[in-house]
Amino acid sequence: MRPVDEPLQETSPAPDKQVSSKEDFIPGFHPFKDDPDNLSPHNPLVRKFGNIPEVRTYIRLQQKFRSGPGLNIDEAIALYTAEVFLYGTPEAKRSLKQFKKDKARYQRQGIPMGSIVMRWNVKTDPSDEKATATEAKN
């Protein structure tokens, strides 16, 4: 144990962990409700990465994913390509690789590319813990 008056030791985060600062967040501002064609300079993604095509693509597809019918295979690939560019997480890399494999398989088997492969499921039952994203079953 240490006395309460002793200051906390400064620890640096692991280099592969993302650190969010208070400046990244603005109360009442949701980055995915911003207009992707005319991004606000207050958008945390714009402040962090700049007003680049990957940020606009990421916001546009996140909006469609969260509030629209879902994403087709090409849109899912574009979303994960932007996410890998911006964040480079192993999960995003794995998903991008899998969707590219799926697209190649769809092309080989002649499966139409326009069907929904990824959608946001909002659970209406309050006993469920949280909403989740799922891949649509074909």
Side-chain angles (χ1 to χ4, degrees), residues 11 31 51 53 57 63 70 72 76 78-79 84 92 95 98 102 109 127 132-133:
T11 58
N51 191 355
T57 298
Q63 287 174 350
N72 65 32
L79 173 67
V84 166
S95 294
Q98 185 60 49
D102 289 347
Q109 296 177 349
S127 65
T132 58

Side-chain angles (χ1 to χ4, degrees), residues 52-116:
I52 58 175
E54 290 82 3
V55 168
R56 291 189 299 274
T57 298
Y58 186 72
I59 291 172
R60 179 177 288 110
L61 292 174
Q62 278 288 348
Q63 287 174 350
K64 183 174 182 185
F65 173 63
R66 292 169 183 248
S67 63
L71 303 178
N72 65 32
I73 192 81
D74 290 323
E75 292 167 333
I77 289 172
L79 173 67
Y80 281 111
T81 300
E83 187 170 332
V84 166
F85 180 85
L86 297 173
Y87 297 107
T89 63
E91 295 83 14
K93 290 176 184 178
R94 260 192 313 277
S95 294
L96 178 59
K97 184 178 178 180
Q98 185 60 49
F99 277 120
K100 285 182 176 182
K101 282 183 184 178
D102 289 347
K103 182 177 179 177
R105 182 174 47 88
Y106 288 6
Q107 289 173 332
R108 279 193 316 273
Q109 296 177 349
I111 297 173
M113 301 285 179
S115 62
I116 301 301

Side-chain angles (χ1 to χ4, degrees), residues 16-83:
D16 60 341
K17 299 266 184 178
Q18 291 183 10
V19 177
S20 298
S21 65
K22 289 182 181 179
E23 296 84 40
D24 286 347
F25 300 99
I26 298 171
F29 187 87
H30 193 287
F32 298 132
K33 292 184 180 178
D34 203 0
D35 178 11
D37 295 322
N38 188 20
L39 292 172
S40 166
H42 301 293
N43 188 313
L45 295 170
V46 172
R47 290 171 56 171
K48 186 170 187 171
F49 301 110
N51 191 355
I52 58 175
E54 290 82 3
V55 168
R56 291 189 299 274
T57 298
Y58 186 72
I59 291 172
R60 179 177 288 110
L61 292 174
Q62 278 288 348
Q63 287 174 350
K64 183 174 182 185
F65 173 63
R66 292 169 183 248
S67 63
L71 303 178
N72 65 32
I73 192 81
D74 290 323
E75 292 167 333
I77 289 172
L79 173 67
Y80 281 111
T81 300
E83 187 170 332

